[in-house]
Amino acid sequence: METLRQETDEAGPSIGSENPDERIAARRLRIAARNEAKKRQELGSNSQEDTEIKEVRMSQKKVEQSEKRMAKLQADGTELVTNILVAADFRESKRRAEMEEARRLRIEKLENEAKSSLEKFEEITQKWTVAKAKQIPQDLRDALISQQILCGQLLEDKNKVIIELQQELKASDDRYVKDLKKHTEEVDLMIERLQEQIISLKKSYREELDLVESTFDEERRTLLADNRMKWEQQRQRQSDRELELLLQRMQQVEEHELQLQRLRLDNTKECNTIKAKLEMDVQILEQQLQKMKATCQLNQEKLEYNFQVLKKRDEENIITKSQQKRKITRMQDILNNLKTKCSNQEKQSREENQSLTDDYKRIMQQYKDMQRKMRHFAAVDAKRLEDVWLMNEAEAKALVRQALEIDRLIHEQQLGLAWTPPPLTVMEQPGPVQPRNRIQPSARQAAAQALVRREAPGEERELEEQTDGNTVEVPGGPESTGGRMDQKTVKRLLELLCDEMGFLIESKLLKLLSPLEKDERSLIKLDSIFSALAIESEEDVYKMADFFMKYKFQQKDQAEQHSSVSNQGETAEQKDSDLIHPNDVLRALRTFTALYCKPRDISSRQLSGIPELEGRDDSEDGACWESLATVVPEPKLKVWSTLEAALEKYHFVLTERSKLVNETQHLKQQNSELRMLLHQYLNSKVNTELAIPPTQVMKLDPE
Amino acid sequence: CSFMNLTKYPARINRQTSTFNSAADPRKMRRIIAEDPEWSLAVVPLLANLCLQNIVKNFKEKPIFDELLPGHKAFVLEKLSTSLSLSVTANLISDEAYWKRCCESRWGLSDVSEYGHSWKRMLFERHLENIIELFIPDVTDPKSVLDVVPQCRNYVRRLKISQLLPPIREPPKFEEDDSSDSASDMGHEGPSMDHFDFSILLDKLTNLEELQLVYGVKGCGMNFEWNLFEFTFRDCESLAKALKSCKSLKVLRIQQSKVDDDKCRVLVSSLLDHPSLLELDLSHNLIGDRGARAIGKLLGRSHLKRLAIYNNQIRGPGAQALSHALAKNPSLVALNLRLNRLADEGGQAVAQALLKNQNLVSLHLGANEMTEPTATAMANALVHNSTLRNLSLACNRLGVDGGKVLEEGMSHNSSLVECDIRLTDMSLENEYCIGQILRTNQSRACRRQTQDTGATQ
């Protein structure tokens, strides 16, 4: 079995590997051929491609041939080797068949034997029962002997079988040994064959390799020869061409040499002339050089001197620079100090400012308070004044009345004259002079408003003005505007204003005004214009008109000036010409507002809240009181003084008289009293008791 | 500088270092030692060298390797002893040169190409194989095997166990007859296992791909006893369990181990639906028809590509079961049924299966007692099948008529490249004709191949 396995193991790979080996060999050869072909391709030129291909084909054929041969050789060799294996297999299978057959026969034989022996055994056992029945010893012995013989036969049979089997075993042992020997022989044979085959294969491979190589060599040689020939041809051609070129070149060289010679000659000539010229130049230049040297020397000295000077200056500069630097540092210090100071100052001033603003605020507050107080006190004072006034007036009036009454009494009683009362205008005034003055500005404001109204109605109002304007108005409003112009000019002026100053009126207002009458419209327009110009009072209006007139006069020639104020009766045209030109209105108005409006504005603002304290003057008061004082005239006073003197005398007499009367009366009274006292004394009880009654003494009295 | 020298001339250094102590005295006498590239006039060696030498000396106690510079590593590897225990070096050193030295010191010259050109793999595989082959049940401690596992787990891909030792038993028990002692002693209280138990090992080797087992003793010589070649049922069960746990296994070979039908069924049942098994080899065993039926079932439930069950005792019914599976199988490429007893019944069944199968490339039916009817069936199959390339019908008595029929069948076939018809009793004329046809097929296949390669190139 061992050997069998070895055989199979050794034979196994050869069967399997037969093909692959072949394949590998074939591939190797093919690759070699290809490499060769590639080399040749690289070497050879294109013109020889055809022959090359042919040659390659030749070599390929050769390679294929050798491949085939080798494959055949290998196959033969493997067959030779595997023959042993196959033979062994065959023998083994044959042996197995034989063994099986033998075993079958043996088993049959054994079975037969077993059957016969069983029969025999049964016969013996039967005979045992028969023998048991036998009584006679001889019979028994005979039976026993026969039994013994039978048993012996049985045993013999068995022994025979055993011997046969043992013989068979021995035979098979022998055969095993023989088989083993044969196997070893076969193995040896196989190894021998393998070695042989290896050797032969090696040899044939080498031969084939040589052959293939020789073919390749030949191919290569032919190729080389071809290529060499070609190479030679090419080289020949090349050398011919080179020779030709060389000749050409030599010719050219000769030509060039000639040319060179010519050029050289020309050049030398030229060179000589140039040389001469250049030498001349050199001389001139040398002279120049000398000059230059001299100047150079001079310059050098100058420069040295300059250099020295500059050096000095430089030193000075350095010193000044250092000074400057020091100064700078100092300045820097100062600057820093100043900066710090400045910052301090700033801080301080800021604080101061802060405190001042605070103060200001506080003072403003105080001022306001003061104003408020002042207003309050003014009101109170006014009130008090009025009260005091009224009181004093009442007192004065009472006194006057008393005086008048007394006068009347004097006249009627003392003088016996008819008494006529003096004109008592003063007495009729109800309040103090001041209240009457205070009413006046309100009336003026109303008049300012009325002025606008007055403007609208037009002529009749104007007429009214003209008629009683001087009586009524003069004492009231126009004290300040002394020489005021007449109403007509004012009206014209206002109309002019109304037309020219349209831009001061709001466009909305204009729209609203459109349905109204002309006069009404102009009135409202004027109203708005005045409000825009901050003209509030009538006085302002007149002031403005006055200003306009003046302005016009300024504008116009002095010669043309004539009393426009007085000669108002002249034609309207002249008035128109007298009036300011419409184009100048705006300018005039601007100057007017610039001049008047602002200061007045402020003052009026300030005053508007407070009742006009300053507006009140004391001049009238004195007159008023004077009038009160002078109710009784001077002659009457003289009368009174004389009368007084007379009356004084009369009075004196009367007083004397009354005194005397009184004295008498007194004395009379004293008398009566004394009388009463005496009476009392006399009538008293004490008197009785007294040793001497007074009555006795007093008896004299009644006497 | 000396380091560079070290890496350049490793062989010489080895020699030099080994002879250093012995040649110390005469060397001292000389002033210049020209033949030693390591030698330098400086009397004091470099500190680095001293350190490295110390590291080498104490490598067993203190393996310092990964922290070293590349040059120093090379130095250490050169000097490291090959007798260091594997537990130290296994996962630390990956340098092939060191492992080559180890292998060569253990086994002398050896072919590394079998082990994927990895000396380390070779060392660990052979190490483990040695341990298992010398494992004596109940005598050797199973820990001695398991201790090696953590070191060699990552490197072992194939285990070729050429022998498994049985437990030591008292000789008198086995004096009885040879053929039928396998089952009789099983009831007796014996050792805890009959051979090495793979179930403790296989599930730990996560990279194992190939397993080859022989339940037998190598070179027993005159101490031959039948029980040395015994594959018991217990072994079979433990092996089945182990195989089931080893998911990475691709190739399994259990040869010359007296695997009979029952054991075959047990093994196959463990291999059903195995995720990676590609090749199964149960040759030189005692598998009969029932075992063949089990294998047929396995063919239906696995991705097997190669199946070798030659030199068994499969007969007609078993072959029928196999060919039934073969007819439907989409993966099998090679089938070897050499030295069985299929006879005509089995041969015809296989030929029938070839009519349907479209992927079998190689089929070996040598020495199967087949005769003319098989030849006619096979001829018919050859006409229709175009995938089969290798066919062996050697050592079957096909006879002259069979040869004729086969020649006729071959004349219609263009795919078969090899057909072994030696010792089949057919006429030389037929053999020659068949040979001619094969040659044309070969050249055609060769041409196709060159075309293919040309196309790919």
Side-chain angles (χ1 to χ4, degrees):
Chain A
M1 262 231 265
E2 193 80 26
T3 47
L4 200 69
R5 203 180 78 84
Q6 275 178 358
E7 271 173 30
T8 55
D9 277 359
E10 271 173 289
S14 69
I15 292 166
S17 66
E18 195 177 60
N19 241 352
D21 280 356
E22 263 178 38
R23 264 179 261 142
I24 287 162
R27 259 183 237 143
R28 271 187 195 148
L29 283 170
R30 206 179 53 241
I31 288 161
R34 272 204 193 129
N35 284 344
E36 198 73 20
K38 213 178 267 175
K39 267 183 203 163
R40 248 175 280 133
Q41 250 178 0
E42 279 163 15
L43 283 170
S45 60
N46 292 340
S47 58
Q48 285 174 323
E49 227 169 44
D50 295 341
T51 52
E52 192 189 321
I53 286 163
K54 224 183 270 170
E55 277 167 81
V56 166
R57 271 179 200 155
M58 253 176 67
S59 61
Q60 258 182 352
K61 218 183 271 170
K62 181 68 203 154
V63 165
E64 271 169 19
Q65 269 178 9
S66 56
E67 244 173 60
K68 258 183 203 166
R69 203 186 139 219
M70 288 317 297
K72 198 166 173 278
L73 262 173
Q74 257 186 350
D76 290 350
T78 30
E79 207 181 323
L80 205 65
V81 174
T82 49
N83 270 342
I84 298 165
L85 171 82
V86 170
D89 274 1
F90 187 68
R91 238 178 295 123
E92 174 67 18
S93 67
K94 211 167 146 191
R95 187 188 68 84
R96 276 187 190 175
E98 276 169 16
M99 285 274 284
E100 212 163 319
E101 187 62 29
R103 194 191 290 159
R104 196 174 55 78
L105 284 173
R106 202 182 306 132
I107 287 164
E108 218 169 85
K109 215 160 112 188
L110 280 173
E111 273 172 0
N112 286 341
E113 218 286 320
K115 221 183 269 171
S116 63
S117 62
L118 198 72
E119 276 169 17
K120 277 178 187 168
F121 185 67
E122 270 171 10
E123 201 182 321
I124 290 162
T125 46
Q126 270 177 0
K127 276 188 182 170
W128 276 122
T129 51
V130 175
K132 257 184 189 172
K134 288 200 174 160
Q135 302 292 324
I136 304 155
Q138 280 85 2
D139 287 351
L140 191 62
R141 197 181 62 118
D142 288 346
L144 279 174
I145 288 167
S146 68
Q147 281 288 78
Q148 202 175 4
I149 291 164
L150 277 172
C151 282
Q153 273 179 347
L154 192 66
L155 278 175
E156 211 170 307
D157 282 354
K158 292 276 180 197
N159 276 338
K160 215 192 274 171
V161 170
I162 286 167
I163 287 164
E164 265 177 35
L165 284 175
Q166 272 175 344
Q167 271 175 348
E168 265 180 48
L169 190 66
K170 212 174 195 177
S172 61
D173 272 355
D174 288 347
R175 195 178 165 161
Y176 178 64
V177 172
K178 235 191 272 170
D179 275 356
L180 274 181
K181 254 182 209 164
K182 197 158 192 193
H183 280 158
T184 48
E185 272 170 28
E186 275 175 351
V187 166
D188 288 344
L189 187 64
M190 192 143 73
I191 288 166
E192 201 181 308
R193 278 185 187 176
L194 279 171
Q195 275 170 348
E196 263 175 35
Q197 214 201 338
I198 286 166
I199 290 162
S200 67
L201 270 177
K202 239 190 227 167
K203 215 167 81 187
S204 50
Y205 266 127
R206 200 158 288 152
E207 275 170 18
E208 289 297 316
L209 186 68
D210 285 346
L211 271 174
V212 169
E213 261 186 355
S214 67
T215 51
F216 278 131
D217 261 356
E218 207 162 317
E219 272 177 27
R220 188 163 147 268
R221 223 171 296 132
T222 51
L223 250 171
L224 264 177
D226 275 4
N227 287 339
R228 194 161 292 152
M229 216 165 71
K230 241 190 257 171
W231 170 251
E232 284 296 329
Q233 279 177 359
Q234 295 266 355
R235 219 181 56 179
Q236 190 67 37
R237 222 182 298 156
Q238 181 71 17
S239 62
D240 286 354
R241 216 191 301 166
E242 272 184 9
L243 201 68
E244 208 174 299
L245 284 173
L246 191 73
L247 283 174
Q248 276 181 5
R249 208 179 126 82
M250 273 161 77
Q251 234 168 352
Q252 268 180 345
V253 165
E254 274 174 20
E255 275 174 27
H256 287 154
E257 266 179 5
L258 277 173
Q259 238 171 348
L260 269 177
Q261 192 66 30
R262 226 182 302 139
L263 282 172
R264 216 174 275 157
L265 280 172
D266 290 351
N267 278 340
T268 42
K269 270 181 207 164
E270 213 172 311
C271 188
N272 282 334
T273 52
I274 289 167
K275 202 179 173 187
K277 204 175 149 195
L278 285 175
E279 271 172 2
M280 284 275 286
D281 286 351
V282 163
Q283 278 177 359
I284 293 159
L285 285 171
E286 265 178 4
Q287 280 174 359
Q288 276 179 350
L289 183 71
Q290 290 298 330
K291 268 185 211 164
M292 286 305 285
K293 266 182 185 167
T295 49
C296 185
Q297 188 76 21
L298 201 68
N299 282 338
Q300 209 171 352
E301 277 168 16
K302 269 185 194 168
L303 284 171
E304 258 170 25
Y305 173 72
N306 282 344
F307 179 66
Q308 291 296 333
V309 172
L310 283 173
K311 244 185 187 171
K312 281 269 167 60
R313 274 193 195 160
D314 192 37
E315 279 165 20
E316 279 168 23
N317 278 343
I318 286 162
I319 292 160
T320 48
K321 217 194 263 174
S322 58
Q323 280 174 352
Q324 290 293 340
K325 267 181 190 166
R326 252 174 275 143
K327 211 182 256 178
I328 281 168
T329 49
R330 227 183 305 139
M331 289 304 203
Q332 199 73 33
D333 291 348
I334 293 164
L335 179 70
N336 286 337
N337 285 339
L338 285 175
K339 266 181 188 168
T340 50
K341 252 183 219 172
C342 182
S343 63
N344 286 337
Q345 203 68 34
E346 256 179 35
K347 215 188 283 171
Q348 213 173 321
S349 62
R350 218 177 295 136
E351 281 165 12
E352 238 169 83
N353 190 23
Q354 187 62 33
S355 63
L356 284 174
T357 45
D358 289 347
D359 284 355
Y360 169 74
K361 273 177 194 163
R362 204 179 61 242
I363 288 163
M364 274 306 287
Q365 191 62 37
Q366 280 174 354
Y367 172 68
K368 271 178 194 163
D369 288 349
M370 286 297 284
Q371 264 188 346
R372 206 161 357 109
K373 263 182 212 167
M374 194 177 75
R375 237 172 280 147
H376 173 69
F377 282 126
V380 168
D381 283 349
K383 186 88 169 47
R384 195 177 287 163
L385 178 71
E386 199 175 333
D387 290 350
V388 169
W389 186 286
L390 285 174
M391 190 184 76
N392 285 339
E393 203 180 35
E395 208 175 332
K397 275 178 188 169
L399 284 171
V400 167
R401 249 176 242 125
Q402 208 178 345
L404 288 180
E405 190 60 30
I406 290 165
D407 190 36
R408 192 180 56 90
L409 284 176
I410 291 168
H411 271 262
E412 284 175 357
Q413 292 177 8
Q414 299 293 324
L415 302 176
L417 295 172
W419 184 75
T420 51
L424 285 170
T425 48
V426 176
M427 292 297 285
E428 279 153 28
Q429 279 168 355
V433 181
Q434 170 130 29
R436 215 187 298 160
N437 277 350
R438 253 186 61 79
I439 290 160
Q440 210 69 358
S442 66
R444 208 185 304 159
Q445 273 171 353
Q449 283 171 349
L451 172 80
V452 184
R453 222 171 288 138
R454 193 195 309 153
E455 241 68 63
E459 296 294 317
E460 55 163 288
R461 185 73 190 193
E462 213 171 295
L463 285 173
E464 185 191 284
E465 290 264 317
Q466 277 176 337
T467 49
D468 54 6
N470 286 331
T471 51
V472 179
E473 292 260 336
V474 165
E479 294 135 334
S480 50
T481 53
R484 47 177 296 209
M485 60 238 50
D486 61 329
Q487 295 301 320
K488 221 170 188 178
T489 35
V490 170
K491 192 210 163 191
R492 272 167 195 282
L493 244 174
L494 288 174
E495 272 171 1
L496 196 68
L497 258 181
C498 188
D499 290 340
E500 288 298 315
M501 296 291 116
F503 65 87
L504 287 170
I505 308 157
E506 284 178 77
S507 55
K508 235 186 229 175
L509 194 66
L510 278 173
K511 254 184 223 167
L512 287 168
L513 290 177
S514 56
L516 293 175
E517 261 182 87
K518 191 209 165 194
D519 293 336
E520 219 169 325
R521 211 186 309 158
S522 58
L523 170 66
I524 293 168
K525 270 183 194 172
L526 274 174
D527 193 21
S528 66
I529 287 164
F530 285 149
S531 71
L533 292 173
I535 294 169
E536 283 161 357
S537 59
E538 193 187 359
E539 196 178 344
D540 290 336
V541 176
Y542 288 116
K543 216 189 259 174
M544 184 179 69
D546 196 28
F547 179 81
F548 274 25
M549 287 299 142
K550 272 180 194 160
Y551 189 79
K552 189 194 73 185
F553 289 142
Q554 279 170 7
Q555 297 291 92
K556 283 195 172 177
D557 215 350
Q558 294 291 326
E560 257 189 331
Q561 187 189 2
H562 44 98
S563 56
S564 63
V565 184
S566 55
N567 294 346
Q568 73 236 85
E570 281 186 22
T571 54
E573 283 83 19
Q574 197 162 356
K575 278 271 165 63
D576 269 356
S577 68
D578 285 348
L579 271 172
I580 191 164
H581 195 266
N583 292 349
D584 294 330
V585 169
L586 185 59
R587 230 175 297 155
L589 198 64
R590 196 180 291 159
T591 46
F592 168 75
T593 47
L595 279 171
Y596 294 96
C597 282
K598 269 197 186 149
R600 191 194 51 85
D601 207 22
I602 296 157
S603 64
S604 70
R605 284 276 154 76
Q606 281 178 339
L607 287 173
S608 62
I610 313 156
E612 301 170 47
L613 295 177
E614 282 83 25
R616 186 186 169 280
D617 49 15
D618 307 337
S619 53
E620 280 173 63
D621 297 355
C624 184
W625 294 113
E626 199 63 41
S627 68
L628 275 177
T630 54
V631 165
V632 182
E634 201 67 38
K636 211 170 262 183
L637 281 177
K638 269 177 194 162
V639 171
W640 279 6
S641 55
T642 51
L643 195 62
E644 201 184 2
L647 284 175
E648 282 282 337
K649 281 174 191 165
Y650 180 61
H651 185 251
F652 184 71
V653 171
L654 283 178
T655 44
E656 286 283 314
R657 205 177 139 190
S658 70
K659 231 180 248 173
L660 294 173
V661 167
N662 280 353
E663 246 175 267
T664 54
Q665 256 173 354
H666 189 69
L667 290 170
K668 266 177 197 172
Q669 203 177 341
Q670 266 181 334
N671 205 14
S672 63
E673 274 173 17
L674 287 166
R675 218 173 265 160
M676 248 172 49
L677 276 168
L678 194 58
H679 187 71
Q680 253 173 334
Y681 288 146
L682 291 169
N683 294 348
S684 66
K685 286 157 190 169
V686 178
N687 287 349
T688 56
E689 289 160 16
L690 287 166
I692 328 162
T695 33
Q696 283 155 357
V697 175
M698 289 283 298
K699 275 183 179 167
L700 299 163
D701 277 9
E703 290 150 358
Chain B
C1 164
S2 60
F3 268 64
M4 295 303 289
N5 286 340
L6 278 181
T7 49
K8 273 176 192 168
Y9 313 106
R12 278 194 208 173
I13 290 157
N14 279 344
R15 186 155 42 79
Q16 204 59 54
T17 46
S18 60
T19 59
F20 184 80
N21 288 329
S22 59
D25 282 339
R27 277 168 68 99
K28 270 183 188 170
M29 304 297 286
R30 291 162 65 186
R31 302 184 69 183
I32 295 169
I33 299 149
E35 70 271 18
D36 184 3
E38 205 181 346
W39 183 85
S40 71
L41 203 60
V43 186
V44 181
L46 290 173
L47 182 60
N49 270 4
L50 286 175
C51 290
L52 290 175
Q53 272 164 6
N54 254 317
I55 286 173
V56 170
K57 213 186 281 175
N58 299 317
F59 202 80
K60 198 171 180 181
E61 290 80 33
K62 216 169 181 180
I64 301 167
F65 184 72
D66 285 336
E67 298 89 337
L68 298 178
L69 298 172
H72 296 181
K73 270 186 187 177
F75 181 89
V76 169
L77 284 174
E78 288 305 332
K79 302 240 171 178
L80 266 187
S81 154
T82 54
S83 58
L84 275 173
S85 83
L86 289 175
S87 58
V88 177
T89 53
N91 293 318
L92 197 61
I93 296 170
S94 56
D95 184 62
E96 279 293 305
Y98 172 75
W99 294 113
K100 186 182 177 186
R101 276 199 298 135
C102 288
C103 287
E104 278 169 356
S105 71
R106 283 188 186 212
W107 301 296
L109 279 174
S110 36
D111 185 10
V112 77
S113 64
E114 273 184 61
Y115 300 91
H117 298 281
S118 165
W119 289 99
K120 194 174 185 183
R121 185 184 151 194
M122 176 176 171
L123 182 101
F124 282 108
E125 282 182 5
R126 288 182 74 167
H127 184 62
L128 192 61
E129 279 166 14
N130 271 350
I131 289 174
I132 293 170
E133 280 171 5
L134 297 174
F135 182 87
I136 304 169
D138 289 336
V139 175
T140 318
D141 188 3
K143 268 183 86 177
S144 65
V145 179
L146 293 181
D147 283 345
V148 192
V149 167
Q151 298 137 33
C152 56
R153 183 169 46 195
N154 295 328
Y155 314 108
V156 172
R157 304 205 160 190
R158 176 174 57 188
L159 278 178
K160 263 179 156 175
I161 314 280
S162 57
Q163 75 165 3
L164 284 165
L165 295 175
I168 297 163
R169 299 191 204 186
E170 299 87 81
K173 280 187 183 172
F174 296 96
E175 288 178 21
E176 297 153 60
D177 52 341
D178 307 327
S179 55
S180 64
D181 65 336
S182 58
S184 61
D185 279 331
M186 289 312 291
H188 189 268
E189 195 188 323
S192 63
M193 55 180 119
D194 298 319
H195 287 98
F196 176 71
D197 185 2
F198 279 96
S199 57
I200 60 168
L201 178 69
L202 287 198
D203 57 340
K204 293 181 181 68
L205 298 175
T206 48
N207 288 338
L208 192 72
E209 286 175 358
E210 199 172 335
L211 181 63
Q212 184 168 338
L213 298 175
V214 175
Y215 280 85
V217 180
K218 229 172 17 173
C220 55
M222 292 310 285
N223 298 324
F224 175 82
E225 273 174 25
W226 278 108
N227 72 315
L228 294 179
F229 300 89
E230 200 63 52
F231 181 43
T232 65
F233 207 72
R234 230 179 338 159
D235 286 332
C236 182
E237 276 182 337
S238 69
L239 180 63
K241 213 167 89 186
L243 290 176
K244 206 160 195 174
S245 67
C246 187
K247 296 294 179 197
S248 58
L249 197 68
K250 283 183 182 165
V251 179
L252 176 64
R253 294 198 182 96
I254 305 172
Q255 297 173 335
Q256 289 174 286
S257 299
K258 289 189 177 176
V259 178
D260 57 14
D261 284 344
D262 293 326
K263 288 165 197 158
C264 178
R265 284 159 73 95
V266 170
L267 287 177
V268 164
S269 71
S270 72
L271 291 174
L272 284 177
D273 297 322
H274 197 278
S276 55
L277 194 71
L278 292 178
E279 187 174 344
L280 181 63
D281 189 345
L282 292 169
S283 49
H284 307 297
N285 281 311
L286 300 171
I287 298 167
D289 288 336
R290 289 196 298 133
R293 213 171 292 144
I295 291 167
K297 196 180 171 189
L298 178 65
L299 277 183
R301 290 179 59 179
S302 69
H303 317 292
L304 275 184
K305 287 202 161 178
R306 294 177 164 275
L307 178 61
I309 38 176
Y310 56 90
N311 197 6
N312 276 301
Q313 295 174 355
I314 301 167
R315 289 162 197 275
Q320 277 172 349
L322 275 175
S323 43
H324 183 69
L326 183 64
K328 293 190 219 158
N329 184 284
S331 61
L332 199 69
V333 174
L335 178 62
N336 195 338
L337 289 165
R338 192 166 65 92
L339 265 179
N340 280 298
R341 265 170 271 173
L342 303 187
D344 285 330
E345 195 186 342
Q348 278 169 326
V350 171
Q352 289 292 322
L354 280 184
L355 285 174
K356 292 183 189 169
N357 188 291
Q358 292 295 323
N359 48 323
L360 197 69
V361 173
S362 168
L363 178 63
H364 202 307
L365 292 169
N368 265 308
E369 295 177 357
M370 296 188 283
T371 52
E372 199 194 319
T374 311
T376 48
M378 197 54 77
N380 188 25
L382 284 178
V383 172
H384 293 96
N385 190 299
S386 59
T387 50
L388 198 67
R389 292 168 65 86
N390 297 343
L391 177 65
S392 175
L393 292 167
C395 309
N396 289 304
R397 292 179 191 283
L398 302 180
V400 180
D401 294 339
K404 272 182 195 165
V405 176
L406 203 62
E407 186 203 328
E408 207 179 316
M410 280 299 293
S411 63
H412 294 286
N413 185 290
S414 59
S415 61
L416 205 65
V417 176
E418 265 181 59
C419 183
D420 195 347
I421 42 168
R422 282 171 288 182
L423 293 175
T424 48
D425 288 353
M426 57 173 73
S427 63
L428 282 173
E429 198 183 329
N430 290 339
E431 266 188 49
Y432 179 73
C433 284
I434 289 172
Q436 283 297 320
I437 293 162
L438 283 177
R439 227 156 282 148
T440 54
N441 281 354
Q442 273 172 14
S443 58
R444 200 181 296 152
C446 203
R447 234 174 293 141
R448 206 179 301 145
Q449 223 165 36
T450 52
Q451 278 170 8
D452 288 350
T453 51
T456 51
Q457 277 178 0

